[in-house]
Amino acid sequence: MKDNISLLRKIKGAVLRGLVWLSAVFICLMLAGMIFFILKRGLPHITLDFLTQKPSLLNDTVGILPNLLNTLYIILMTLVIVMPLGVGSAIYLREYAKNQKAVRLIELAAETLSGIPSIIYGLVGMLIFVQFCSLGTSLIAGALTLVIMTLPTVMRTTQESLKTVPDSYREGALGLGSGKWHMIRTVVLPSASDGIAAGCILAIGRIVGESAALLFTAGMANEMLNLKEAVSPGGAGSTLTVSMYMYAKERGDFETAFAIAAILLILTLLINSAARFAAKLLQKGTGK
Amino acid sequence: MQSKAVTAIYIIKKPLREDPFSDIFEKIVHALLGICGFIAIAFVILITVFLVLSGVPAIREIGIADFLFGTKWASTAAEPSYGILPFILTSVFGTAGAIVLGVPLGILCAVFMTKISGKRFGAIVSGAVSLMAGIPSVVYGLVGMIVIVPAVRSIFGLPDGANLFSAILVLAVMILPSVISMSETALRAVPKEYEEGSLALGATGTETIFKVSLPAAKSGILAAVVLGVGRAVGEAMAVMMVSGNVPNMPGIFRSVRFLTTAVASEMSYSSGLQRQALFSVALVLFAFIMIINIILNIAVKKENKS
């Protein structure tokens, strides 16, 4: 069969198609190049000592154990606070709130929060938690700042997964004489657990990658903190990202910076696959 | 959203319950969850109040016209001058540059993922995009510092490669994930009938994509652009590492300072009026972001309606 598409149209189509392919290939190659570059420069510097010691000016050695621990502390502290708040908020919006205007307003507020840049969070966190609440530059101030920042993420994913719980579950539980909260706790929440887990993973991803919001709230120190110091006011410390920034920008120590960047990249990969896995579970839940 | 049947069951059941404690318990839970519900609003108010309270005094002292339109920022000079026009213009130009480079690339990539690629290629690209979204901004900054800055220096024969152009390149890459995923959603939402109609009328596949699908997804793509603007305006750390961080009026190969980096770079050693002026810079940045948010909300609402 002979088509009657003019040559010009064919050329135009081919050019556009080529551009589309080119842009996709370009983005993938750029990402691959970036990953390869970071791993190539960073991995050789990651040794056991590097991971398990703190930096020492005396011995002129660099170690990132304090920063690893600080990252972990901040993740735990933030999650402990933000998960109940975010999940509770989503439950309220989905199961309790009757006033649609209020729901819309809360959702608008959450959208606003997710649009605010992290440097503003850093500044406001400094004003509110470091100065006003006089927690000092500390991990706990950083964690509280990140609570505000990650709240919309947790809220949204929980809301999405609550939507996938069929109303018949709720009706069944209520019909059997369960109280409302009992119904939510024993029927709704377990069915929505995969979505809540997804929110948790996304929040961890944001916390690991965050730097601007922590610079002025959690500080730049590289000291080792034990658990008690970490949760008390004044326990300052830098997470991996902040310390990477300090090594690269302030000290010009690019070997260490690349080593930390490689670790961050690997963490990002892990978190990403975990999030995809959770999303897949969530989709399965919606399908049934 | 309970059906009427549930409400009915609920009403019938209620008198049967004789345990007063469980009623009180339910009320407490309701109240606690209500507090959780409204906490997002409380946070927004808290942030706004703190920023306004700490940002307004310096603006008042400096004078709003001198502050917003003053072209010289010399906060540590003997006779300090606090004009933030260089920051504002840098943020505007930097964002515009990043949009010009990043948005076409992002939209084409979204077209690839939704309309052209097979399942397997599409999955690879979408995996790459979600990985890009997760990479911390300091890592982009580091790569920019080591790769882009020297490259810009040697290609254009400049004394220093840390300038607005390098920042634009880094920002263009950093806004890609948001632009791509938002445009992807918009393109996927285009009804199949539109495309089938176009194909049936004799348009080629590529013509259908560019003349039917993309225009149909217009408002969603607009939302993607606005989201990209928001990301670019708000980015601090990566830009700080590649832009040179000197408060010049913007020029493509000049070292510049953005609104975000102005706040970040002096905060640790500032005091007095200088510190308050930094809060005012943050307030201006916040105002920008709020305006962008409002536009985004309108765009998304339009998208949902259509």
Side-chain angles (χ1 to χ4, degrees), chain A residues 5 9 13 16-17 19-21 23-24 26-28 30-31 34-35 37-38 41 85 88-89 91-92 94 96 104-106 108-109 111-113 115-117 119-121 123-124 126-128 131-132 148 151 167 171 174-175 177-181 209 211-212 215-216 241 244-245 248-249 254 257-258 261 264-265 268-269 272 276, chain B residues 1-3 6 9-10 13 25-26 29-30 33-34 36-41 43-44 46-47 50-51 54 105 108-109 111-112 116 121 125-128 130-132 134-140 142-143 145-147 173 176 180 202-204 206-207 210 234 236-237 240-241 260 263-264 267 275 279 282 285-286 289-290 293 297:
Chain A
I5 298 170
R9 275 174 75 192
L16 283 175
R17 199 166 269 264
L19 277 176
V20 170
W21 270 93
S23 61
F26 173 75
I27 287 173
C28 288
M30 187 181 63
L31 180 70
M34 203 171 120
I35 293 173
F37 182 71
I38 291 169
R41 287 203 53 174
L85 280 183
S89 169
I91 291 174
Y92 179 77
R94 170 78 186 144
Y96 284 87
R104 185 68 205 118
L105 196 65
I106 293 171
L108 191 71
E111 278 161 31
T112 309
L113 282 180
I116 294 176
I119 183 76
I120 300 246
Y121 279 114
L123 194 80
V124 172
M126 187 185 83
L127 288 168
I128 298 177
Q131 291 174 359
F132 187 73
I148 307 183
L151 181 75
D167 270 343
E171 288 159 12
L174 288 175
S178 143
K180 187 155 190 179
W181 171 244
S211 46
L215 206 53
F216 308 118
T241 43
M244 197 215 96
Y245 172 77
K249 189 87 200 326
F254 292 115
F258 269 106
L264 283 171
L265 208 57
T268 312
L269 270 170
N272 234 294
R276 297 204 131 213
Chain B
M1 259 79 359
Q2 295 165 339
S3 66
V6 187
I9 292 169
Y10 204 59
K13 180 171 61 77
F25 179 72
E26 287 287 340
V29 170
H30 193 145
L33 290 174
C36 289
F38 284 93
I39 206 151
I41 296 178
F43 281 156
V44 172
L46 199 67
I47 290 171
F50 264 86
L51 273 178
S54 49
L105 193 60
L108 287 179
C109 186
V111 167
F112 179 83
I116 290 192
F121 272 127
V125 179
S126 91
S130 71
L131 181 61
M132 272 178 88
I135 293 177
S137 59
V138 280
V139 174
Y140 284 106
L142 181 69
V143 174
M145 223 172 152
I146 300 299
V147 180
V173 174
L176 278 177
I180 294 174
T204 62
T206 323
E207 282 167 346
F210 284 89
M237 302 308 270
M240 183 115 122
M241 295 165 92
T260 48
V263 178
M267 190 49 80
R275 193 174 181 82
F279 293 144
L285 175 63
F286 185 65
I289 292 289
M290 283 318 220
N293 262 341
N297 257 306

Side-chain angles (χ1 to χ4, degrees), chain B residues 75-120:
Chain B
S75 56
T76 47
E79 244 174 74
S81 126
Y82 301 100
I84 63 163
L85 192 63
F87 306 155
I88 296 179
L89 287 182
T90 303
S91 277
V92 170
F93 290 152
T95 304
I99 293 295
V100 166
L101 291 181
V103 163
L105 193 60
I107 293 177
L108 287 179
C109 186
V111 167
F112 179 83
M113 286 159 72
T114 51
K115 307 289 174 197
I116 290 192
S117 72
K119 244 200 171 133
R120 195 193 272 159

Side-chain angles (χ1 to χ4, degrees), chain A residues 40 66 69 72 93 102-103 105 138 181 184-185 189 233 262 273 286:
Chain A
K40 194 181 145 227
L69 284 178
L72 201 63
L93 287 180
V103 171
L105 196 65
S138 60
W181 171 244
I184 290 171
R185 191 168 55 84
L189 279 184
S273 353
T286 329

Side-chain angles (χ1 to χ4, degrees), chain A residues 29-55:
Chain A
L29 283 184
M30 187 181 63
L31 180 70
M34 203 171 120
I35 293 173
F36 179 74
F37 182 71
I38 291 169
L39 291 182
K40 194 181 145 227
R41 287 203 53 174
L43 283 182
H45 298 282
I46 301 176
T47 58
L48 197 62
D49 280 353
F50 182 73
L51 291 174
T52 55
Q53 281 183 359
K54 64 175 196 169

Side-chain angles (χ1 to χ4, degrees), chain A residues 14 40 50 56 59 64 128 146 168 189 191 200 203 215 252 261:
Chain A
K40 194 181 145 227
F50 182 73
S56 153
N59 307 330
I64 57 160
I128 298 177
L146 292 185
S168 56
L189 279 184
S191 323
C200 192
L215 206 53

Side-chain angles (χ1 to χ4, degrees), chain B residues 138-298:
Chain B
V138 280
V139 174
Y140 284 106
L142 181 69
V143 174
M145 223 172 152
I146 300 299
V147 180
I148 292 180
V149 168
V152 166
R153 189 185 57 203
S154 62
I155 290 174
F156 297 99
L158 303 166
D160 185 10
N163 52 33
L164 182 59
F165 187 65
S166 304
I168 287 177
L169 290 181
V170 172
L171 281 178
V173 174
M174 291 185 72
I175 63 169
L176 278 177
S178 336
V179 174
I180 294 174
S181 59
M182 199 97 174
S183 322
E184 189 196 346
T185 318
L187 281 169
R188 280 198 203 285
V190 174
K192 268 244 145 30
E193 292 80 8
Y194 290 14
E195 285 156 12
E196 282 162 1
S198 160
L199 290 173
L201 286 171
T204 62
T206 323
E207 282 167 346
T208 302
I209 293 169
F210 284 89
K211 297 209 170 129
V212 176
S213 311
L214 278 177
K218 195 172 53 194
S219 56
I221 289 174
L222 180 74
V225 174
V226 182
L227 190 68
V229 171
R231 288 272 176 279
V233 170
E235 181 47 48
M237 302 308 270
V239 163
M240 183 115 122
M241 295 165 92
V242 295
S243 66
N245 209 14
V246 184
N248 287 327
M249 283 301 261
I252 188 86
F253 290 130
R254 271 196 192 166
S255 288
V256 288
R257 198 181 274 185
F258 288 68
L259 279 170
T260 48
T261 51
V263 178
S265 58
E266 288 184 21
M267 190 49 80
S268 52
Y269 58 83
S270 62
S271 61
L273 184 60
Q274 180 197 2
R275 193 174 181 82
Q276 288 188 319
L278 293 181
F279 293 144
S280 310
V281 175
L283 184 60
V284 172
L285 175 63
F286 185 65
F288 268 96
I289 292 289
M290 283 318 220
I291 293 169
I292 294 167
N293 262 341
I294 291 169
I295 298 174
L296 183 64
N297 257 306
I298 295 170

